[in-house]
């Protein structure tokens, strides 16, 4: 078992290049895997709950190994751009800002042994008293300064109305390579000191972190309505539908799996070779915009029955000079690092990468990141096609005059092509 564990840690050590001081979702120890942040009972919803509802956030993750660790968690209140707001715990929580991770289970009949942990918020010891963004930190009981797992979620007041559209009739092209977001924020139910200057609106596309943006002023204001229209920053490359694969069985190949091989101590699943889609016709596919769902086909409780398998990606393409190619989706926590970057194999004329992933159904895409930048582009590999269904998340924040934190007044999702 010690040899097997050493092999596993050697494989995982190349994956984690992130630093715990950032505030993105992620795991920061090679033993910890498969972070999920969800609304209880709604697997595909963004992790946002209303402050006056009975909804709860569920944070779950695995630790590779045979014995549980004694883990604790605490919360940090953050501003609209996920930086610590500076509030002390008594200003945003009722109860104590420290909890023990006591909900755990051991994996059942898997080749890779792990412990599955679960944290549900709010709970009897910890309740939110203000809206905004929250960052949950998990650490060992005897080492509170080292973050092992970090999870983002938000608490909304649902105090404003947000409505609009994502259209392919943009200010720079028409039914071509872009989509434009136009929307209205109606603050009729919430008195705002100055609608034009006091609102902060954060927009994201398909949960991506690299192209998230903040708007600090609308295009115009009329009465209680702020209009965000004809803004160049709200014109997005349309992208393409996410690619998909399923590793739900180790006995037969699932969707987009070409081959399954067992090489002790792992099952290896080789995906069918991918090719760039930039110059191919658009094909609609109903995807989940980068999300994943853990599933083992023969179990009613996949959280502990799903195994860990090595998934091999291959993108047949000449080298793309000036770009680094990354795998994007919730499976990578939307990070650009050594674990998500593909390396080029000149003997095979292709980009390749391998990841240890829990069995399930996954969405992914390839992003090309220009050298020296931190924002990926879809056009180089996936192409940009105006009919693509994209999910645009809009979050409206407000800091009152003299206030010390950004209230989250409301959120909504707008889908293109619908």
């Amino acid at each position: 078992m010690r040899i097997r564990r050493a092999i596993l840690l050697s494989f995982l050590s190349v994956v984690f290049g992130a630093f715990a001081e950032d505030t993105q979702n992620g795991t920061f120890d090679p033993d910890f895997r498969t972070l999920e942040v969800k609304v209880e009972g709604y697997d595909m919803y963004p992790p946002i709950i209303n402050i006056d509802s009975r909804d709860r956030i569920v944070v779950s993750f695995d630790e590779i190994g045979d014995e549980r660790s004694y883990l604790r968690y605490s919360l940090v209140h953050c501003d609209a751009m996920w930086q610590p707001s500076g509030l002390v715990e008594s200003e945003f929580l009722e109860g104590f800002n420290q909890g023990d991770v006591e909900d755990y289970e051991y994996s059942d009949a898997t080749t890779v042994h792990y412990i599955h942990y679960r944290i549900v918020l709010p709970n009897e010891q910890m309740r939110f008293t203000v809206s905004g963004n929250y960052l949950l930190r998990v650490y060992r009981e005897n080492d509170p300064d080292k973050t092992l797992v970090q999870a983002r979620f938000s608490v909304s007041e649902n105090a404003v109305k947000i409505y609009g559209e994502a259209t392919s009739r943009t200010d720079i092209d028409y039914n071509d390579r872009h989509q434009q977001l136009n929307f209205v924020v109606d603050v009729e139910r919430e008195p705002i000191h100055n609608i034009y200057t006091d609102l902060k609106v954060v927009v994201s596309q398909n949960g991506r972190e690299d192209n998230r943006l903040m708007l600090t002023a609308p295009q115009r204001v009329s009465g209680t309505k702020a209009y965000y229209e004809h803004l160049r920053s709200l014109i997005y490359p349309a992208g393409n539908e996410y690619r998909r694969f399923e590793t739900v069985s180790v006995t037969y190949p699932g969707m987009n799996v070409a081959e399954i091989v067992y090489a002790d101590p792992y099952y290896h699943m080789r995906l069918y070779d991918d090719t760039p889609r930039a110059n191919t016709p658009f094909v609609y596919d109903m995807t989940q915009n980068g999300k994943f769902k853990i599933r083992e086909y023969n179990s009613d409780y996949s959280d502990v029955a799903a195994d860990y398998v090595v998934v091999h990606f291959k993108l047949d393409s000449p080298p793309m000079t000036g770009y680094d190619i990354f795998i994007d989706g919730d499976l990578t926590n939307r990070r650009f690092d050594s674990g998500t970057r593909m390396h080029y194999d000149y003997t095979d004329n292709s980009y390749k990468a391998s990841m240890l992933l829990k069995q399930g159904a996954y969405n992914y895409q390839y992003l090309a990141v220009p050298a020296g930048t931190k924002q990926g582009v879809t056009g180089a590999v996936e192409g940009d096609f105006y009919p693509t269904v994209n999910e645009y998340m809009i979050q409206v924040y407000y800091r009152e005059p003299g206030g010390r934190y950004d209230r989250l007044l409301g959120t909504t999702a707008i889908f293109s092509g619908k």
Side-chain angles (χ1 to χ4, degrees):
M1 183 60 67
R2 289 182 179 178
I3 295 175
R4 182 176 183 172
R5 181 175 173 82
I7 295 172
L8 176 60
L9 290 178
S10 176
F11 176 86
L12 293 178
S13 65
V14 302
V15 175
F16 292 86
F19 295 91
E21 61 260 33
D22 69 27
T23 61
Q24 281 188 245
N25 281 330
T27 55
F28 304 98
D29 184 293
D31 280 344
F32 288 81
R33 310 289 298 176
T34 317
L35 171 63
E36 296 184 86
V37 191
K38 302 184 292 189
V39 177
E40 187 176 39
Y42 301 93
D43 287 356
M44 294 296 118
Y45 278 33
I48 303 170
I49 60 174
N50 291 331
I51 196 166
D52 58 352
S53 75
R54 295 184 179 181
D55 291 338
R56 301 194 298 174
I57 292 291
V58 178
V59 178
S60 62
F61 53 90
D62 297 336
E63 180 185 11
I64 304 296
D66 298 303
E67 299 296 332
R68 65 161 289 202
S69 294
Y70 291 90
L71 304 176
R72 287 181 174 172
Y73 64 91
S74 60
L75 295 174
V76 178
H77 190 274
C78 294
D79 64 17
M81 291 304 286
W82 292 100
Q83 295 304 304
S85 64
L87 295 184
V88 298
E89 54 195 49
S90 60
E91 294 179 288
F92 62 86
L93 283 180
E94 178 183 298
F96 296 99
N97 191 17
Q98 183 172 272
D100 295 323
V101 184
E102 298 177 331
D103 186 348
Y104 65 92
E105 295 177 273
Y106 292 94
S107 59
D108 182 18
T110 56
T111 59
V112 176
H113 297 175
Y114 62 88
I115 302 92
H116 180 70
Y117 299 94
R118 191 168 177 266
I119 301 169
V120 180
L121 294 167
N123 53 45
E124 292 182 358
Q125 290 77 39
M126 195 178 292
R127 295 187 177 276
F128 317 116
T129 58
V130 301
S131 66
N133 293 333
Y134 285 80
L135 187 71
L136 179 141
R137 291 181 58 249
V138 178
Y139 45 89
R140 297 187 193 278
E141 183 180 72
N142 61 356
D143 191 4
D145 293 330
K146 180 183 178 182
T147 300
L148 302 172
V149 177
Q150 201 161 254
R152 289 177 173 183
F153 64 90
S154 299
V155 177
S156 172
E157 298 179 21
N158 194 27
V160 298
K161 296 178 181 178
I162 310 167
Y163 52 90
E165 65 171 356
T167 177
S168 58
R169 301 178 297 277
T170 78
D171 291 341
I172 60 175
D173 57 19
Y174 186 93
N175 288 350
D176 192 6
R177 297 185 300 109
H178 294 87
Q179 294 173 351
Q180 184 160 344
L181 192 60
N182 299 304
F183 59 92
V184 178
V185 177
D186 190 343
V187 299
E188 180 181 12
R189 294 181 293 168
E190 181 65 35
I192 303 295
H193 177 69
N194 187 324
I195 299 176
Y196 194 84
T197 61
D198 291 353
L199 295 181
K200 301 175 184 176
V201 179
V202 176
V203 181
S204 61
Q205 182 194 48
N206 298 328
R208 286 173 55 183
E209 293 293 328
D210 60 306
N211 64 359
R212 181 188 299 268
L213 63 89
M214 175 185 283
L215 302 170
T216 57
Q219 192 267 341
R220 62 186 177 93
V221 171
S222 178
T224 62
K225 296 178 180 179
Y227 291 81
Y228 297 82
E229 300 174 331
H230 301 290
L231 297 175
R232 182 62 182 84
S233 58
L234 291 179
I235 300 177
Y236 284 81
N240 204 338
E241 304 295 347
Y242 276 75
R243 304 173 192 252
R244 296 191 290 163
F245 68 89
E246 294 186 356
T247 57
V248 298
S249 171
V250 296
T251 59
Y252 71 88
M255 176 188 296
N256 201 31
V257 175
E259 180 183 36
I260 301 175
V261 175
Y262 182 75
D264 190 39
Y266 311 112
Y267 285 97
H268 292 254
M269 298 196 184
R270 180 177 61 84
L271 303 186
Y272 282 103
D273 295 354
D274 286 322
T275 59
R277 299 186 290 174
N279 297 313
T280 63
F282 173 78
V283 177
Y284 170 73
D285 186 19
M286 183 180 293
T287 72
Q288 290 72 48
N289 303 110
K291 300 179 179 67
F292 68 84
K293 183 175 179 61
I294 298 304
R295 179 170 173 260
E296 204 285 327
Y297 87 106
N298 203 32
S299 173
D300 294 328
Y301 191 39
S302 296
D303 284 344
V304 295
D307 213 333
Y308 276 86
V309 301
V310 180
V311 179
H312 299 272
F313 299 81
K314 179 181 176 182
L315 175 65
D316 288 328
S317 169
M320 298 185 183
T321 304
Y323 291 103
D324 289 321
I325 307 301
F326 291 88
I327 299 173
D328 171 67
D330 283 356
L331 78 169
T332 66
N333 290 309
R334 308 290 182 162
R335 291 177 172 273
F336 298 151
D337 58 30
S338 60
T340 65
R341 180 181 176 181
M342 306 190 79
H343 70 273
Y344 196 78
D345 185 346
Y346 285 91
T347 64
D348 201 23
N349 298 318
S350 61
Y351 288 91
K352 294 181 179 179
S354 298
M355 295 183 185
L356 190 70
L357 298 172
K358 200 172 183 179
Q359 284 181 275
Y362 288 84
N363 285 188
Y364 70 106
Q365 68 176 350
Y366 298 109
L367 289 180
V369 179
T373 74
K374 296 181 179 180
Q375 183 168 327
V377 296
T378 47
V381 180
E382 304 294 1
D384 291 310
F385 300 92
Y386 75 87
T388 302
V389 177
N390 289 304
E391 179 180 353
Y392 296 93
M393 177 60 61
I394 302 170
Q395 297 174 274
V396 179
Y397 298 85
Y398 172 54
R399 180 171 297 201
E400 299 170 318
R404 298 179 52 239
Y405 72 97
D406 294 327
R407 296 167 53 194
L408 179 54
L409 297 185
T411 70
T412 197
I414 294 176
F415 292 85
S416 60
K418 291 188 176 183

